[in-house]
Amino acid sequence: MEILQGILIIALAFWMVLDQQGFVITTWFPSIIGMIAGLIMGDMSTAMVIAGTFQLMALGVANIGGSSVPNYGLATVVGIYVAVRTTHDLEHAKAVALAVGVPVGMLGIQLDVLGKLLNTYVSHAAQKALNEGKFKKMERTLWIGPLIFGLTTAVPTALCVFFGDDIVKMILNVVPKWFTDGLSIAGSMLPVVGIALLLQFMPVKKYLTMLIIGFVVSAYLNIPILGIALLGFAFAYYYFTQNIHKTPAAAAETNTMEQGDDFDE
């Protein structure tokens, strides 16, 4: 069973980067990848806590224009696998996932850059084959590109799968306690930074009332996140139905009055 789980985890790491570049079915969002990894590992509750932590870190971070950013999807997969293999205590599992996942996620930046550099040679080779009229060769060459991208996430995941607890124990023994404690603190602070970055691109001033209501029901009424999401859907649906029935002139006037207020500076 452990061998099968290891193979599926490596395959998931390989697939997620290809999906991000192509079909975009699962992508490498930590919450989605974490759910799949939780199903594979058979510990959904631990997986979703770890995935939620990395998802909050990833808020407001995007590889726009081909830029490379920390691969929090890779961090989630590796963190969940190692944490579930190492401990059954939720808090300890979260600390282990952060201690291992964050450095691997940062390593993902360098691997992504390396993959893009190698793919420039692949594209030039495919272009050369095209210019020479060797279409079959061009097609075979282009298959190397997805393979390179997949290996940028599959290789570090495979190392963690193959060495498992040993590599974690080695890291935790070498890394001083103050550093792992710092990672735990940073892991608690980074989600706040992610939310703050996300709010910079949202019309907070325009919908400040909704934001306050969401905060109150979460912080003081202890409503689960699903309940808050349903409440947000209700507000959004009400706003949509109220505006869709307006006359075109009234809608145009409303849009003119609200123009420039959608993004906070």
Side-chain angles (χ1 to χ4, degrees):
M1 186 62 179
E2 291 184 3
I3 296 176
L4 178 60
Q5 287 177 333
I7 294 173
L8 290 175
I9 284 292
I10 296 172
L12 176 62
F14 186 91
W15 163 257
M16 69 179 185
V17 68
L18 297 184
D19 183 68
Q20 177 68 17
Q21 304 292 335
F23 297 109
V24 194
I25 299 173
T26 59
T27 73
W28 52 24
F29 288 128
S31 57
I32 300 176
I33 292 298
M35 180 186 68
I36 301 174
L39 288 173
I40 294 173
M41 299 304 298
D43 191 347
M44 184 63 73
S45 58
T46 300
M48 293 313 295
V49 169
I50 295 171
T53 302
F54 282 117
Q55 181 65 66
L56 290 172
M57 291 183 186
L59 290 177
V61 178
N63 55 336
I64 299 173
S67 61
S68 298
V69 297
N71 192 333
Y72 289 113
L74 175 61
T76 302
V77 172
V78 171
I80 289 173
Y81 179 84
V82 173
V84 173
R85 281 277 178 267
T86 305
T87 179
H88 296 289
D89 180 72
L90 185 58
E91 287 302 318
H92 187 218
K94 184 179 176 181
V96 169
L98 289 171
V100 178
V102 170
V104 172
M106 295 302 174
L107 177 63
I109 300 177
Q110 312 304 326
L111 294 175
D112 183 60
V113 172
L114 178 62
K116 290 173 179 176
L117 286 174
L118 292 176
N119 269 310
T120 58
Y121 295 101
V122 173
S123 61
H124 285 305
Q127 181 67 51
K128 182 179 178 181
L130 175 64
N131 294 337
E132 295 173 354
K134 301 177 181 178
F135 302 113
K136 292 292 184 182
K137 182 180 179 181
M138 178 195 71
E139 292 178 358
R140 290 194 299 269
T141 303
L142 289 174
W143 278 105
I144 301 175
L147 178 62
I148 291 174
F149 272 123
L151 289 176
T152 60
T153 50
V155 169
T157 305
L159 291 175
C160 292
V161 169
F162 292 149
F163 295 102
D165 299 347
D166 294 334
I167 195 171
V168 177
K169 291 176 182 178
M170 183 185 71
I171 292 173
L172 294 179
N173 288 333
V174 172
V175 176
K177 188 176 184 300
W178 61 265
F179 184 76
T180 56
D181 290 342
L183 282 176
S184 298
I185 295 172
S188 300
M189 294 176 61
L190 283 175
V192 180
V193 177
I195 293 173
L197 288 171
L198 186 63
L199 290 177
Q200 290 292 320
F201 300 97
M202 296 179 67
V204 177
K205 294 178 182 178
K206 184 176 178 181
Y207 302 107
L208 182 61
T209 304
M210 309 302 177
L211 183 65
I212 294 174
I213 292 174
F215 175 77
V216 170
V217 297
S218 174
Y220 295 99
L221 302 182
N222 295 322
I223 295 179
I225 190 66
L226 179 59
I228 298 174
L230 291 173
L231 186 63
F233 174 77
F235 281 127
Y237 181 76
Y238 174 79
Y239 179 83
F240 173 76
T241 54
Q242 290 298 306
N243 280 273
I244 200 172
H245 294 302
K246 288 183 178 179
T247 63
E253 182 179 355
T254 303
N255 290 334
T256 302
M257 293 175 61
E258 294 177 349
Q259 188 175 5
D261 190 38
D262 279 351
F263 298 93
D264 296 330
E265 297 179 358

